[in-house]
Amino acid sequence: MLTTDPFDPISDDGDKLREECGVFGIWGADTASAVVALGLHALQHRGQEAAGITSFDGKWFHSHRAVGHVAGNFDEDHIIRQLPGEAACGHVRYSTTGESGLRNVQPLYAELASGGFAVAHNGNISNAWTLRQDLVKHGSIFQSTSDTETIIHLVATSGFKRLLDCFIDALKQLEGAYSLVCLTPEGMIGCRDPLGIRPLVMGRLGPKDGGAIIFASESVAFDVVGAEFIREVEPGELIVVNDSGIKTHRPFAPTAPRPCIFEHVYFSRPDSIVDGQSVYSVRKQIGVELARENGVEADLVIPVPDSGTPAAIGYAQESGIPFELGIIRSHYVGRTFIQPGDKVRHLGVKLKHNANRPLIEGKRVVLIDDSIVRGTTSTKIVDMMREAGAAEVHMRIASPPTTNSCFYGVDTPEREKLLAAQHDVEGMRDYIRADSLAFISIDGLYRALGEPGRNNAHPQSCDACFTGEYPTPLTDHDGLADVTQLPLLAERVT
Ligand code: SF4
């Protein structure tokens, strides 16, 4: 599970890739905004910095956006009552592009010639800066620093008559990754970029005829609201839902999809179905492949909580080494109990995660984690094992070395801060002070997904953070940083 608690010494320190956003939308439910609030709860792991819901009551749009978690912002009756209507969309976010002020909190909303238009976006438009400069030159006035606003301006300035044509016209100018849920007076739109880099699924709440239609980043959100999974929105597909039914459009030339492989490794909840596969089963299988490729003599297999657990189970089953909970995580420690400051921060390691000393003392342990980003987390955990008396500490990682940054909407440190970009595996082992360190191979990762291996001529997924092979042009990924450096009005967020 992701965490962004800045005082969480194990799982934060910027030492995890962070999924940027989760989106959820529903058309045709009595209590649309309440359902969206629940759905966003289930997607909270995809973004914990801010949340927003926009509803449509058939005449007016209503919006509430706030910094912080869904709980605390959307769990009170009076907030939900301010969001009436049978259609609503919502968003949880980290800021990957644009600063984290309230003006960037989604759904973004604008009044267009065709009426209101709300958009919730998961992904990153990698040519947003170029498009933005051009739009500004021609008179567009931006309210936020978010790449998502570019989509609104492209729709607003498109020369087509019908909103849908304007929207498709806008999409055709975008590069990068986007799963979008949009709310308009004409209906709700769910769509994915032609490569399907970011996920989006469609479900139904209520009866087959006349039930409400839902779009969500992950199927787990359907489980939580009691909805039924229908199918994935296909890469390059655009689906319009309104009171007349569901219409699908495919405005792009067909191309081989490249969904993000990291959704399987870490981002998605293990109880979700991604690309037609159970995330939990894939993670377990990654552990199996990892054990086959990188076995080691040891007494215990220990997951790094919580994201390393399914892979650790697979590793233990394949290797025959007992699986044990050697690191115990307290579920009751929050920011309230941990104050900033280096000294207390260090003590906090044991508040939230503690070595199970009687189990570990004198044992050779294999730690299983999903990835190594900066390496600070791994170093702390290895040290914790040694302090608890482990005889040997071996680290096995359920993804290949993360050597490259992501430009598709995942918060990654700059390349020079990625441990794997600076060191070979032996250098990394030395850095984290483990007795041995090994990663699953890229082919092993694909095998865990049911493929024979990576198709190097036509890779089946986006795996650029491991291979450096980006599936789309990165027109101005350097320029994107400049958006955040514009001298904009300082915004007070309360
Ligand atoms: Fe996913 Fe990595 Fe591709 Fe980003 S670069 S979309 S994290 S596989």
Side-chain angles (χ1 to χ4, degrees):
M1 182 65 65
L2 300 180
T3 172
T4 55
D5 183 343
F7 310 126
D8 173 355
I10 281 282
S11 36
D12 199 78
D13 284 351
D15 199 23
K16 289 285 178 192
L17 299 192
R18 295 191 308 186
E19 178 60 89
E20 63 312 316
C21 299
V23 296
F24 188 99
I26 186 163
W27 184 276
D30 284 347
T31 50
S33 53
V35 179
V36 173
L38 272 180
L40 293 181
H41 258 289
L43 299 175
Q44 187 76 82
H45 59 288
R46 298 184 74 87
Q48 300 173 1
E49 191 177 272
I53 297 178
T54 301
S55 72
F56 177 58
D57 65 9
K59 193 170 178 197
W60 302 103
F61 284 82
H62 310 267
S63 185
H64 182 72
R65 301 178 300 155
V67 173
H69 288 194
V70 181
N73 282 310
F74 290 96
D75 50 3
E76 291 192 26
D77 252 12
H78 73 274
I79 299 288
I80 297 299
R81 276 203 302 272
Q82 287 167 23
L83 300 165
E86 297 187 355
C89 66
H91 189 265
V92 287
R93 88 182 295 255
Y94 289 119
S95 54
T96 47
T97 303
E99 33 78 31
S100 54
L102 196 54
R103 67 176 148 209
N104 283 338
V105 178
Q106 298 189 29
L108 296 186
Y109 175 78
E111 299 282 346
L112 307 183
S114 54
F117 183 84
V119 56
H121 171 208
N122 176 200
N124 193 52
I125 309 302
S126 51
N127 63 338
W129 177 234
T130 300
L131 292 169
R132 182 183 172 118
Q133 282 179 309
D134 196 49
L135 284 159
V136 168
K137 218 181 281 168
H138 290 91
S140 292
I141 299 170
F142 278 73
Q143 297 291 321
S144 76
T145 55
S146 157
D147 59 326
T148 308
E149 194 183 348
T150 309
I151 301 170
I152 292 179
H153 285 283
L154 289 174
V155 176
T157 55
S158 170
F160 287 91
K161 277 207 175 95
R162 289 193 323 156
L163 173 65
L164 187 63
D165 294 326
C166 295
F167 187 64
I168 290 171
D169 182 39
L171 295 187
K172 289 194 166 172
Q173 297 173 64
L174 305 180
E175 290 169 1
Y178 53 86
S179 280
L180 302 170
V181 176
C182 307
L183 206 55
T184 81
E186 294 171 27
M188 177 172 68
I189 304 170
C191 70
R192 283 174 90 186
D193 65 75
L195 297 173
I197 295 176
R198 304 256 67 90
L200 191 68
V201 288
M202 181 164 69
R204 182 186 296 107
L205 183 64
K208 220 169 190 157
D209 290 327
I213 295 299
I214 303 180
F215 294 116
S217 294
E218 286 181 42
S219 65
V220 66
F222 298 156
D223 300 340
V224 168
V225 304
E228 171 200 355
F229 176 86
I230 301 177
R231 65 175 177 88
E232 308 228 345
V233 177
E234 287 170 17
E237 186 181 15
L238 184 157
I239 300 175
V240 181
V241 180
N242 55 31
D243 293 344
S244 316
I246 302 171
K247 263 203 183 136
T248 187
H249 304 261
R250 287 191 172 75
F252 301 100
T255 174
R258 300 283 296 274
C260 167
I261 206 165
F262 223 113
E263 291 285 346
H264 293 282
V265 171
Y266 179 63
F267 299 141
S268 291
R269 264 177 57 157
D271 42 350
S272 279
I273 308 286
V274 172
D275 305 327
Q277 304 206 57
S278 149
V279 174
Y280 179 80
S281 302
V282 168
R283 283 183 194 164
K284 254 180 79 180
Q285 194 55 34
I286 291 174
V288 169
E289 294 290 340
L290 189 56
R292 287 178 187 159
E293 289 184 346
N294 296 295
V296 61
E297 295 268 319
D299 305 307
L300 301 175
V301 172
I302 293 173
V304 176
D306 289 321
S307 50
T309 304
I313 293 171
Y315 192 100
Q317 287 177 354
E318 180 64 18
S319 64
I321 303 169
F323 170 95
E324 294 285 0
L325 296 179
I327 302 170
I328 305 300
R329 175 179 169 215
S330 166
H331 294 270
Y332 303 102
V333 178
R335 301 174 61 142
T336 344
F337 290 90
I338 308 174
Q339 300 302 317
D342 276 355
K343 204 168 169 192
V344 183
R345 189 182 168 95
H346 178 70
L347 290 174
V349 173
K350 287 179 178 172
L351 259 181
K352 187 146 189 179
H353 294 88
N354 191 27
N356 189 350
R357 181 179 287 272
L359 185 76
I360 285 163
E361 223 156 17
K363 301 287 196 324
R364 300 166 298 171
V365 302
V366 191
L367 295 170
I368 310 287
D369 204 354
D370 56 84
S371 56
I372 292 182
V373 180
R374 294 172 193 257
T376 48
T377 304
S378 307
T379 308
K380 283 174 186 162
I381 295 170
V382 171
D383 286 353
M384 184 191 285
M385 292 293 105
R386 293 213 193 278
E387 281 168 23
E392 292 173 18
V393 184
H394 304 277
M395 181 72 96
R396 296 291 178 269
I397 304 297
S399 59
T402 305
T403 47
N404 294 275
S405 301
C406 175
F407 300 107
Y408 301 125
V410 170
D411 186 17
T412 338
E414 304 80 58
R415 188 160 191 269
E416 54 275 16
K417 293 191 179 135
L418 296 170
L419 193 65
Q422 302 303 321
H423 300 275
D424 60 11
V425 174
E426 174 53 22
M428 294 175 81
R429 183 209 61 74
D430 190 47
Y431 181 89
I432 67 169
R433 303 191 273 269
D435 292 297
S436 77
L437 169 68
F439 296 77
I440 192 168
S441 68
I442 190 76
D443 283 324
L445 181 55
Y446 275 94
R447 280 196 300 275
L449 283 158
E451 302 283 346
R454 184 178 195 262
N455 180 338
N456 290 328
H458 303 285
Q460 304 93 321
S461 294
C462 175
D463 52 23
C465 45
F466 308 128
T467 61
E469 290 180 32
Y470 293 92
T472 72
L474 301 173
T475 302
D476 45 25
H477 68 262
D478 290 332
L480 281 173
D482 295 341
V483 177
T484 64
Q485 287 158 20
L486 291 171
L488 294 162
L489 177 72
E491 185 181 29
R492 188 184 296 276
V493 179
T494 55

